[in-house]
Amino acid sequence: MTLLARWQQLLGIRPEEGRTVGLFFLHNFLLGIGTILVYVSANVILLENHPERNLPLAYGAAAVLMIAAGKLYAHFEHHLGLQRVAVRVLLAVVALTAVLGVLVAVGHSVLAAVVIMAGYRVIYLLTNLEFWGVSAVVFDVRQGRRLFSVISSGDMPAKALGAVLAILIHHHTELLWLLLTAFGAYMGALLVLQQTNRSHLVEARSAARALRTEAVAPRLQRWFGSSRLVLTMCLSMLALAAVTTGIEYSFFVNVKHRFHDQALVMRYVGGVLAVAYLLALVVKLLLTGQVLNRVGVRGVLLALPAVLLAGLGLFGLLPSAAPDTLVLYFCGLFITLEVLRRAVFDPVFLVLFQPLPAAERLEAHTLAKGLYEPLGMGLAGVLLFLLPNQRGLTFGWMGLLVLVALFFLHRTYGHYLAELQHAVSRRFGAAEDGLDIKEKAPLNGTQAVVTSADIQTHIAALADKATRAAATDTLLTLGEQALPELLATLQTSTDETTIRRVAQLCGHLRLPASRRGLVTLARQPHLFRREAALRALRGFAPTPADAPIFQALVQEELRLAQQLLHGLAATHDKAVRASLDYEVARVQQRIFGLLQQLYPPHLIADAQRGVAHATRERQANALEVLDNLIPRPVYQGLQTLLEVATVAEKARAFDALLGPPAAPQPLAITIIQRGEAAFTDWTISLALQHWQPTATTATLLLPHLHTPNLLIRETALGMLARLTQQQPAAHTHLLAHHPDLASSLMSHSATTTAHIPATERVAVLQRTALFAATPANVLSSIVPIMKEVEFAAGHQIFAKGDLGTSLFIVHEGEVGIFTGSQQLATFRKGDFFGELALLDAEPRSASAVAQTPVVAFRLDQEDFYDVMEERGEVLRNILRVLCQRLRLQNEKVQA
């Protein structure tokens, strides 16, 4: 690993983000140099012209000009678009810097000093709006949490450099050189912005969302937008800006009183600024991200007002302190404020607006920085001007405003969570997931009593397609009368399909006993049954009494994910990795199902849909919802499963979270031991193929030799056959204890040539365009319904007008598709035809004729419906392929 890669890893920068972060860091660095040099120039002039009276005037004038500049920026941002207005902002900043240079050269009056300070504030506002406006649409909320502290740290070394330059300034004329340097820095920032525009889409675009259930009152939307998050955040910013201005004023004035010589004043102020910015740089780069991950958004958000309140309260202990002590106090308070504000609060403040739609996000940032922050500074300027030398009153109103900020920031966090939930919620209402089963009214006491045998008969009828619908309706109508037998079936049946259907029925009987039975089913080590139970439990609200059960199951699933990740890291076989990836995805889905029994189900369901969404912004918002809803260890494990990282990195993350595996063993052994209770048949088949048994472990093969699953049984028999050649001692030992295995092996040898093996059938499906995007773990569930059929040359497979109920996949030979005598198409190995019959039994639109001897697989509609009910991936991929074919046909017609 290179030094750059190590540095990026330390800062939480992913490889694909490195160039983008570098551009933003450089951009902010250049803006920081330019801004701090203007700041130094303004302070040099103001501190030598009665700062007690002139600083409040400068604050008031700056507030008015900043509000005007913010309004202009908002107008042009709305009409020109962010990309164009960002360039124009930097050009305006360059022009303003030139104007300030003229004022420095020719103006030495108090008015010139005030105008220069106000000009600095306007430049600072415009560069801030431009930089954070661009970054807000380039990065999503999750990237913002990781990277805003990094990209915003670019101005910290620049400001420290500017503070050092302030120490070196001894003459008014030297300020022109500082402004000339600032001019060059802004020109460099403009070039970096243009490079960013060329490599990124800097545009405010968001998908449509549902209307907010709780919005700002219409009469206030002109000033705060429609989101309550913006309302409370803007009011918080107003209060904090006033307090920040008051602390800055107190620091400068007390330093001026302590050191009367101008050079000493600038040396002291410059030293304090340099220390503050360097500390902020270190905290931003190394601590902000970690603190945010550990404490969360709420803790970090409230840290600034809480610390300020404590710091202001400390002043009460210094009523008659010496001047030196007061200077140290104000110095410490100012440094603490600068470090917390720039290294902790500002990055989180920006993250808070990320869940908003892009246009609202930019508007909110412009409102907070361009209107309410200047209003707070103006308010402080008025109070400081009206109450000069009234230190006790000054600290009184600052303390009151800190309490106001603390209150609104507390409310802001709640609105932030509401915006996250709004961002990942469905735009339109949707029906609850589950079976298409009509609710039935239970039988009343006046009707005939149904015996236990009758109910068992109805349960057995669930396995028959012809009687399934009627049996389902009857059992739902019986309701509580049928529940004891249904629950007994969940515990005693060995047929997985029956268990799944009975679990769904119990899910529609919203009774406490039904829930208890499903919770018991979920606790079983059989993970397919757990999945069925979790699907059925979606209709029940979480019960606090069951929380320990589901928390333990979450930990169990995380442990399984850890084993799978270690297995993935240990293999390079493409098929095995794809299969294990599917098993990890199943673990992820079960964790979401368990979380729905611990937390508000609709929030977890929305987050689950969000992380699977194609839009990066929605994925990020969904992760942020989870981060603020579920415990940190669980979130960290789930995030590791969801994030883009190497398998080795994910395995290390799980080891750090859970500790190393208790009893590490090859994953293949674990898969073979747990078998069909925990893994799909395709994963078990691959594990058997790659397994190297010994004389002591060969007995693990026995359950798989007698399973009804064709794929696993064939693979296990093949493994038994290989033992005779590769490990005769193990084979002899196994036969000695289980002599009946010899006949099984002979039967397998006799039948392998009679039909196409199950593994080859999966390969056939994978080569078929209709199923190419479907995981092999899912395709293996289609194998049992693939009927091998043969047709002689010239045989008509079906005729035009026949009722279509089957799809055909060609394995060998050629099939022609005809309308009358006209041949429309020829299908060869791997091609499929008659696919519409899987979804709709309509008359065939053409005839199919075997042009050579043909071996094919037939999939019947009724069988396929059962597979689609169990595996939704199959239906989704079929619809995708059919849509692609429809678009292609439309293009041909239009051409």
Side-chain angles (χ1 to χ4, degrees):
M1 184 182 292
T2 64
L3 182 61
L4 176 61
R6 289 183 182 276
W7 180 244
Q8 289 179 343
Q9 186 179 42
L10 176 65
L11 298 180
I13 304 171
R14 293 172 181 166
E16 68 274 11
E17 299 167 341
R19 185 173 185 275
T20 301
V21 173
L23 284 173
F24 276 91
F25 185 91
L26 179 60
H27 186 185
N28 203 24
F29 178 80
L30 293 170
L31 290 180
I33 287 181
T35 305
I36 196 63
L37 294 181
V38 177
Y39 180 62
V40 168
S41 303
N43 277 317
V44 167
I45 298 174
L46 270 175
L47 288 178
E48 65 185 17
N49 287 283
H50 305 290
E52 299 90 340
R53 302 295 298 176
N54 296 334
L55 271 175
L57 290 174
Y59 293 145
V64 174
L65 292 176
M66 289 172 72
I67 291 173
K71 289 293 185 182
L72 283 173
Y73 179 91
H75 172 79
F76 286 110
E77 181 183 66
H78 179 72
H79 289 85
L80 294 180
L82 180 61
Q83 187 163 350
R84 295 171 64 188
V85 81
V87 175
R88 284 163 173 75
V89 161
L90 287 185
L91 291 174
V93 166
V94 169
L96 275 174
T97 307
V99 171
L100 292 184
V102 173
L103 287 174
V104 169
V106 303
H108 303 281
S109 65
V110 173
L111 179 60
V114 171
V115 172
I116 291 170
M117 175 58 81
Y120 151 72
R121 296 286 182 177
V122 171
I123 288 175
Y124 177 77
L125 170 66
L126 291 176
T127 54
N128 192 290
L129 292 176
E130 176 271 325
F131 177 77
W132 289 114
V134 174
S135 61
V137 298
V138 171
F139 298 107
D140 59 49
V141 65
R142 298 302 299 173
Q143 289 176 311
R145 285 191 61 163
R146 287 188 296 107
L147 302 176
F148 277 174
S149 61
V150 177
I151 64 174
S152 65
S153 63
D155 65 339
M156 292 294 103
K159 289 178 177 177
L161 176 62
V164 173
L165 289 175
I167 299 174
L168 304 177
I169 294 298
H170 298 289
H171 301 287
H172 193 274
T173 55
E174 295 175 356
L175 297 179
L176 287 174
W177 292 104
L178 293 186
L179 291 176
L180 182 61
T181 305
F183 185 90
Y186 287 137
M187 291 299 296
L190 180 59
L191 295 175
V192 174
L193 175 63
Q194 291 175 336
Q195 182 63 34
T196 303
N197 288 339
R198 283 193 289 268
S199 56
H200 296 84
L201 179 63
V202 182
E203 185 178 359
R205 295 194 305 177
S206 289
R209 298 185 184 180
L211 294 176
R212 290 186 176 91
T213 55
E214 295 184 359
V216 175
R219 62 182 180 278
L220 296 177
Q221 290 188 6
R222 178 183 176 186
W223 302 101
F224 298 102
S226 60
S227 172
R228 294 189 178 187
L229 169 64
V230 180
L231 167 66
T232 54
M233 194 66 211
C234 286
L235 294 176
S236 305
M237 292 296 292
L238 188 152
L240 286 176
V243 175
T244 300
T245 304
I247 292 175
E248 180 186 89
Y249 169 85
S250 300
F251 168 67
F252 282 138
V253 169
N254 278 273
V255 170
K256 178 68 175 178
H257 288 165
R258 177 64 183 85
F259 304 102
H260 300 289
D261 181 72
Q262 186 65 18
L264 289 176
V265 170
M266 290 311 303
R267 192 173 297 123
Y268 192 89
V269 170
V272 171
L273 290 175
V275 170
Y277 293 137
L278 288 175
L279 278 175
L281 173 64
V282 173
V283 172
K284 265 190 176 185
L285 288 179
L286 301 181
L287 298 178
T288 300
Q290 296 183 20
V291 170
L292 188 56
N293 283 333
R294 290 180 177 273
V295 179
V297 172
R298 188 209 302 264
V300 173
L301 194 62
L302 300 179
L304 177 61
V307 172
L308 282 180
L309 194 61
L312 293 175
L314 186 61
F315 180 76
L317 302 177
L318 306 170
S320 58
D324 288 345
T325 303
L326 284 176
V327 168
L328 288 176
Y329 166 75
F330 285 111
C331 173
L333 187 61
F334 179 77
I335 290 176
T336 301
L337 168 66
E338 286 295 291
V339 172
L340 284 177
R341 184 163 66 98
R342 300 183 184 279
V344 178
F345 184 79
D346 279 354
V348 175
F349 155 71
L350 293 158
V351 168
L352 289 175
F353 288 151
Q354 291 302 100
L356 297 171
E360 287 189 38
R361 188 184 313 160
L362 297 179
E363 180 187 6
H365 184 252
T366 304
L367 276 173
K369 288 290 186 181
L371 178 59
Y372 290 94
E373 197 169 63
L375 279 176
M377 185 173 63
L379 174 63
V382 170
L383 292 172
L384 292 170
F385 186 82
L386 295 176
L387 302 171
N389 302 318
Q390 299 292 323
R391 191 176 295 163
L393 290 176
T394 298
F395 272 73
W397 64 255
M398 284 196 296
L400 181 62
L401 287 177
V402 170
L403 289 175
V404 171
L406 196 62
F407 170 77
F408 281 116
L409 287 175
H410 176 73
R411 298 291 300 272
T412 296
Y413 179 74
H415 296 318
Y416 169 66
L417 295 183
E419 283 297 335
L420 283 171
Q421 296 160 17
H422 176 251
V424 300
S425 62
R426 295 183 179 185
R427 185 182 176 192
F428 303 106
E432 180 185 333
D433 295 335
L435 279 178
D436 182 19
I437 298 178
K438 297 179 181 179
E439 300 292 344
K440 299 290 182 180
L443 287 174
N444 57 44
T446 62
Q447 291 180 307
V449 176
V450 181
T451 66
S452 174
D454 293 333
I455 296 174
Q456 291 175 2
T457 301
H458 292 307
I459 293 174
L462 295 173
D464 190 337
K465 298 174 189 176
T467 58
R468 182 181 304 155
T472 299
D473 287 345
T474 301
L475 290 169
L476 283 174
T477 303
L478 290 172
E480 194 169 2
Q481 290 187 50
L483 191 55
E485 296 299 330
L486 292 174
L487 296 179
T489 301
L490 291 181
Q491 298 301 315
T492 60
S493 176
T494 58
D495 182 72
E496 300 306 322
T497 300
T498 298
I499 291 175
R500 179 177 57 81
R501 296 186 185 282
V502 170
Q504 290 172 329
L505 285 169
C506 291
H508 283 77
L509 299 175
R510 309 291 172 79
L511 300 169
S514 177
R515 176 183 171 82
R516 288 194 297 270
L518 291 172
V519 171
T520 302
L521 184 65
R523 298 179 67 180
Q524 291 189 16
H526 198 298
L527 300 185
F528 288 94
R529 297 180 184 181
R530 179 176 299 171
E531 291 172 0
L534 293 175
R535 281 194 297 270
L537 282 168
R538 290 174 185 172
F540 294 87
T543 301
D546 293 334
I549 296 173
F550 291 106
Q551 289 166 353
L553 293 179
V554 168
Q555 293 301 313
E556 181 184 313
E557 295 290 351
L558 291 175
R559 286 287 182 187
L560 177 57
Q562 181 184 26
Q563 287 182 291
L564 292 170
L565 290 173
H566 277 285
L568 270 167
T571 183
H572 298 285
D573 186 279
K574 186 176 179 180
V576 173
R577 290 180 69 88
S579 180
L580 294 181
D581 278 334
Y582 180 82
E583 299 293 349
V584 170
R586 284 184 59 217
V587 171
Q588 174 188 312
Q589 297 302 312
R590 287 196 297 271
I591 291 176
F592 274 114
L594 292 167
L595 292 176
Q596 288 188 41
Q597 297 305 310
L598 291 167
Y599 306 99
H602 69 282
L603 296 184
I604 298 296
D606 286 344
Q608 183 177 9
R609 284 189 294 269
V611 297
H613 202 270
T615 305
R616 188 189 71 182
E617 180 179 311
R618 184 156 183 174
Q619 292 173 346
N621 288 332
L623 283 172
E624 192 70 5
V625 168
L626 293 172
D627 193 6
N628 288 275
L629 186 62
I630 65 179
R632 295 294 302 165
V634 177
Y635 170 75
Q636 289 170 353
L638 193 55
Q639 181 193 29
T640 301
L641 294 179
L642 294 167
E643 69 182 359
V644 178
T646 65
V647 175
E649 290 173 344
K650 291 185 176 185
R652 285 194 295 270
F654 264 83
D655 289 346
L657 182 65
L658 304 174
Q665 66 176 0
L667 182 60
I669 297 294
T670 300
I671 294 172
I672 293 169
Q673 283 179 333
R674 299 191 64 176
E676 296 173 73
F679 301 99
T680 59
D681 53 4
W682 181 252
T683 299
I684 299 169
S685 174
L686 291 177
L688 288 169
Q689 292 175 34
H690 291 81
W691 180 38
Q692 297 296 327
T694 63
T696 55
T697 61
T699 54
L700 295 176
L701 194 62
L702 295 175
H704 305 297
L705 291 169
H706 304 290
T707 178
N709 186 287
L710 177 64
L711 175 63
I712 297 175
R713 188 170 68 252
E714 286 186 351
T715 308
L717 288 168
M719 181 73 247
L720 182 62
R722 289 198 304 273
L723 277 179
T724 60
Q725 299 178 346
Q726 298 175 0
Q727 299 188 47
H731 181 260
T732 303
H733 181 269
L734 194 61
L735 288 181
H737 291 79
H738 304 277
D740 59 314
L741 294 181
S743 59
S744 300
L745 186 58
M746 293 178 60
S747 174
H748 172 64
S749 300
T751 57
T752 49
T753 58
H755 72 284
I756 300 170
T759 52
E760 176 60 21
R761 297 186 183 210
V762 174
V764 168
L765 294 173
Q766 287 178 310
R767 291 191 296 265
T768 304
L770 190 62
F771 301 108
T774 306
N777 303 67
V778 178
L779 296 180
S780 62
S781 63
I782 302 177
V783 167
I785 66 170
M786 295 173 69
K787 298 179 174 63
E788 186 177 334
V789 292
E790 297 182 5
F791 304 103
H795 180 83
Q796 187 178 64
I797 300 172
F798 56 74
K800 181 178 180 180
D802 288 349
L803 190 64
T805 58
S806 303
L807 168 143
F808 294 88
I809 302 173
V810 180
H811 184 57
E812 293 178 2
E814 294 183 0
V815 175
I817 304 298
F818 295 87
T819 296
S821 60
Q822 181 183 6
Q823 185 169 351
L824 302 177
T826 301
F827 293 120
R828 299 178 178 85
K829 184 172 183 176
D831 293 332
F832 61 92
F833 57 95
E835 66 278 5
L836 291 178
L838 287 182
L839 302 177
D840 191 11
E842 292 293 326
R844 301 285 191 181
S845 59
S847 300
V849 178
Q851 296 182 294
T852 66
V854 170
V855 176
F857 294 106
R858 191 184 79 225
L859 301 179
D860 294 331
Q861 185 190 74
E862 287 298 326
D863 294 331
F864 204 74
Y865 278 173
D866 290 339
V867 173
M868 287 190 294
E869 184 181 333
E870 294 182 25
R871 301 294 180 92
E873 304 102 315
V874 176
L875 177 59
R876 285 193 292 271
N877 281 284
I878 286 179
L879 292 176
R880 179 184 56 81
V881 173
L882 293 180
C883 287
Q884 289 175 351
R885 287 195 168 191
L886 183 60
R887 289 192 188 98
L888 184 60
Q889 292 297 325
N890 288 339
E891 291 172 2
K892 290 180 178 179
V893 171
Q894 292 172 0

